[in-house]
Amino acid sequence: SCYVQCYKRCMNEEQHPLMAHLKQTGETITSFAARTEMSRMKLYRIMAGENTTVDSLRKISAATGGAVSISDLAQEAAQ
């Protein structure tokens, strides 16, 4: 399924900056999704490089207190 593929890609050795942030802070993806008012699936899709909006990237960056920048997220999406 898409969920499994997105999850596996996000959890690889070269960890996505958002997943690294969550690991460092101890926050779950479920909690983070609730704080950003996004679904976990949407976050996984963004981390897997699927199209998203600048507004979504801003929400994610703001929710990390700027620890994960829009630039970090955009660079990951471009790979």
Side-chain angles (χ1 to χ4, degrees):
S1 75
C2 178
Y3 174 83
V4 172
Q5 291 171 354
C6 291
Y7 179 82
K8 285 181 179 177
R9 181 167 176 205
C10 295
M11 298 302 289
N12 69 16
E13 295 84 34
E14 294 180 27
Q15 203 170 51
H16 189 279
L18 178 56
M19 292 306 291
H21 172 77
L22 295 177
K23 183 177 180 181
Q24 180 181 0
T25 62
E27 185 172 14
T28 66
I29 190 91
T30 302
S31 171
F32 188 83
R35 286 196 307 111
T36 59
E37 299 178 341
M38 295 183 202
S39 68
R40 287 180 306 146
M41 193 66 229
K42 181 171 183 170
L43 291 173
Y44 284 126
R45 286 182 176 144
I46 290 169
M47 288 187 284
E50 291 189 19
N51 289 338
T52 190
T53 64
V54 173
D55 185 54
S56 292
L57 299 181
R58 282 189 186 123
K59 279 185 176 181
I60 293 168
S61 182
T64 67
V68 179
S69 70
I70 293 172
S71 177
D72 292 336
L73 295 165
Q75 285 177 349
E76 284 295 317
Q79 292 180 1

